[in-house]
């Protein structure tokens, strides 16, 4: 009996020493592992170890999730063969067998079942109280992730290379759910019971830019890394020198309404900071006590986008006249006037 030792060192597998026994009747060393689970993206070890380091070994796919007629023999690309370990590399789910040739002898191994387990990459949520800021204001951005108790957060943002003054914090949160994940809204956390309503534990990371500058305009990306891998999410922030107000009326300068009908007159507008809205009727303040006009509806549609709707209910001849909307904030003031004619 001749004994030969073989040692293999590889960056992705441990250092293992096996003893080859030559002169026996079997080429393959008996194995006890025939079901080989592996997480997607990770290499798997198929233990086709032979009793002789001189054997020529191939890995043959039998049935796989991705049909392949390729026979692996250790040459790149494909799994690499280490005589003392077997084939090591990334493979699809399926069944495989090894074939060894030693001199004039040929032998096939038992069948190995490789089970690739899908990995769910982290999917962080990102939001900000405001996606528009004026020079000098602070900007706070929040990144949330659930499903993992150990998370490493990393931020990439325009001021990173400029060494901008910022504050980063990380904290664990209670079980619950996050609501209002839109730009320009204050994040809200609703506590809950993991047993009662399937709530999950969330971990939050926040980034605050102090005294924003114009060069802080751009994309802010949060990367969350867990044991399963990493995922990222981004949000765009705009920094302005001063605020603005813009109107885009959805009504004509002259509107007609039949007596007894109800009219809806919509005025979309954009503004930052948050504006105030005033309506006038014939250049006098429009009071909501008027029986022909309902209270004004002001809706915050999206980030910096609003809509004011004037309703004239069961129009009367006396409702004819000039209607003016005035939208203003600290940095601007605009108005629009249209004439309503009520006919009988």
């Amino acid at each position: 009996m001749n004994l030969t030792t073989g040692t293999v060192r590889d960056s992705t597998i441990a250092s293992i020493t096996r003893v080859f026994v030559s002169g026996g009747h079997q080429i393959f060393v008996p194995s006890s592992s025939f079901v080989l689970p592996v997480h997607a993206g990770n290499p798997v070890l198929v233990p086709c170890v032979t009793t002789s380091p001189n054997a020529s070994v191939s890995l043959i796919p039998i049935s796989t999730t991705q049909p392949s007629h390729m026979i692996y023999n250790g040459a790149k690309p494909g799994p690499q063969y280490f005589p003392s370990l077997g084939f090591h590399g990334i493979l699809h789910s399926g069944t495989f067998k090894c074939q060894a040739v030693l001199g004039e002898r040929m032998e096939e191994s038992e069948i190995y079942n490789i089970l690739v387990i899908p990995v769910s990459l982290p999917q962080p949520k990102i939001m900000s109280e405001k996606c528009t800021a004026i020079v000098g204001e602070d900007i706070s951005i929040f990144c949330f992730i659930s499903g993992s108790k150990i998370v490493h957060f990393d931020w990439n943002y325009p001021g990173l290379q400029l060494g901008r003054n910022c504050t980063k914090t990380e904290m664990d949160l209670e079980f619950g759910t996050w609501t209002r994940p839109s730009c320009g809204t204050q994040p809200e956390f609703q506590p809950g019971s993991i047993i009662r309503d399937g709530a999950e534990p969330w971990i939050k990371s926040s980034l605050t830019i102090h005294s924003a500058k114009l060069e802080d305009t751009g994309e802010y990306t949060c990367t969350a890394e867990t044991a399963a891998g990493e995922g990222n999410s981004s949000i765009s922030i705009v920094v302005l020198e001063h605020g603005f107000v813009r109107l885009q009326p959805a009504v004509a300068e002259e509107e007609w309404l039949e007596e007894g009908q109800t009219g809806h007159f919509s005025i979309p507008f954009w503004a930052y900071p948050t504006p105030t809205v005033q309506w006038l009727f014939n250049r006098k303040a429009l009071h909501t006590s008027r029986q022909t006009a309902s209270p004004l509806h002001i809706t915050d549609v999206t980030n910096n986008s609003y809509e004011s709707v004037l309703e004239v209910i069961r129009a009367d001849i006396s409702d004819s006249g000039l209607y003016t909307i005035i939208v203003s904030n600290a940095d601007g003031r605009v108005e629009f006037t249209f004439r309503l004619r009520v006919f009988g």
Side-chain angles (χ1 to χ4, degrees):
M1 179 182 292
N2 298 319
L3 299 182
T4 304
T5 62
T7 302
V8 59
R9 295 181 182 275
D10 184 78
S11 60
T12 59
I13 49 180
S15 173
I16 299 177
T17 301
R18 295 185 187 270
V19 177
F20 298 101
V21 182
S22 61
H25 295 290
Q26 290 182 312
I27 299 179
F28 285 110
V29 175
S31 173
S32 59
S33 301
F34 300 108
V35 178
L36 309 173
V38 61
H39 285 102
N42 291 333
V44 62
L45 179 65
V46 182
C48 299
V49 180
T50 61
T51 58
S52 172
N54 298 319
S56 176
V57 185
S58 299
L59 179 64
I60 303 173
I62 299 175
S63 175
T64 64
T65 54
Q66 302 232 343
S68 173
H69 301 290
M70 180 178 292
I71 296 178
Y72 303 104
N73 56 15
K76 294 182 179 180
Q80 301 302 294
Y81 184 69
F82 301 95
S84 61
L85 293 175
F87 282 93
H88 182 259
I90 295 178
L91 292 167
H92 299 294
S93 288
T95 54
F96 296 78
K97 66 180 179 180
C98 290
Q99 186 180 83
V101 176
L102 183 62
E104 296 182 355
R105 298 169 56 198
M106 189 270 286
E107 183 177 308
E108 291 186 348
S109 71
E110 298 286 344
I111 293 177
Y112 296 95
N113 291 281
I114 297 177
L115 177 61
V116 178
I117 303 171
V119 175
S120 179
L121 296 179
Q123 297 180 331
K125 295 183 179 181
I126 192 169
M127 62 188 79
S128 176
E129 295 179 5
K130 53 187 176 184
C131 294
T132 304
I134 295 175
V135 170
E137 293 181 339
D138 289 350
I139 304 172
S140 293
I141 305 166
F142 307 92
C143 187
F144 310 87
I145 189 169
S146 66
S148 181
K149 295 181 179 180
I150 301 177
V151 183
H152 172 71
F153 289 100
D154 190 32
W155 288 90
N156 188 22
Y157 51 97
L160 181 62
Q161 303 301 325
L162 302 176
R164 294 282 292 113
N165 183 26
C166 69
T167 300
K168 299 178 184 178
T169 61
E170 295 183 13
M171 62 178 293
D172 293 329
L173 300 172
E174 299 176 342
F175 287 93
T177 55
W178 282 96
T179 59
R180 301 183 67 186
S182 60
C183 183
T185 57
Q186 173 67 38
E188 296 179 358
F189 183 72
Q190 181 65 45
S193 167
I194 189 172
I195 298 177
R196 186 180 68 250
D197 48 29
E200 293 185 289
W202 288 81
I203 298 178
K204 178 182 77 170
S205 176
S206 65
L207 172 71
T208 300
I209 304 296
H210 301 286
S211 299
K213 297 182 179 180
L214 292 177
E215 52 265 35
D216 290 314
T217 293
E219 190 171 80
Y220 288 68
T221 300
C222 166
T223 299
E225 182 178 3
T226 67
E230 65 177 40
N232 58 64
S233 188
S234 300
I235 194 171
S236 295
I237 302 293
V238 177
V239 180
L240 306 173
E241 287 192 26
H242 49 75
F244 64 92
V245 179
R246 294 196 301 269
L247 288 183
Q248 188 174 353
V251 299
E253 292 186 357
E254 186 171 78
E255 293 283 345
W256 292 79
L257 195 60
E258 186 176 358
E259 190 174 10
Q261 286 188 334
T262 295
H264 299 81
F265 304 97
S266 172
I267 309 292
F269 57 93
W270 291 260
Y272 186 83
T274 303
T276 59
V277 176
Q278 182 182 14
W279 279 88
L280 305 179
F281 175 61
N282 290 330
R283 288 299 173 182
K284 293 182 180 180
L286 178 61
H287 299 292
T288 57
S289 59
R290 285 173 48 89
Q291 295 183 1
T292 54
S294 69
L296 307 179
H297 303 296
I298 301 173
T299 305
D300 186 353
V301 181
T302 57
N303 181 42
N304 304 326
S305 177
Y306 303 84
E307 180 183 43
S308 180
V309 179
L310 173 70
E311 288 184 299
V312 178
I313 301 174
R314 295 184 300 276
D316 186 83
I317 298 297
S318 62
D319 292 320
S320 297
L322 296 175
Y323 289 84
T324 301
I325 181 174
I326 302 174
V327 182
S328 61
N329 58 24
D331 294 292
R333 180 183 184 277
V334 294
E335 63 179 66
F336 172 76
T337 299
F338 70 95
R339 178 178 295 276
L340 175 64
R341 298 185 184 275
V342 180
F343 61 96

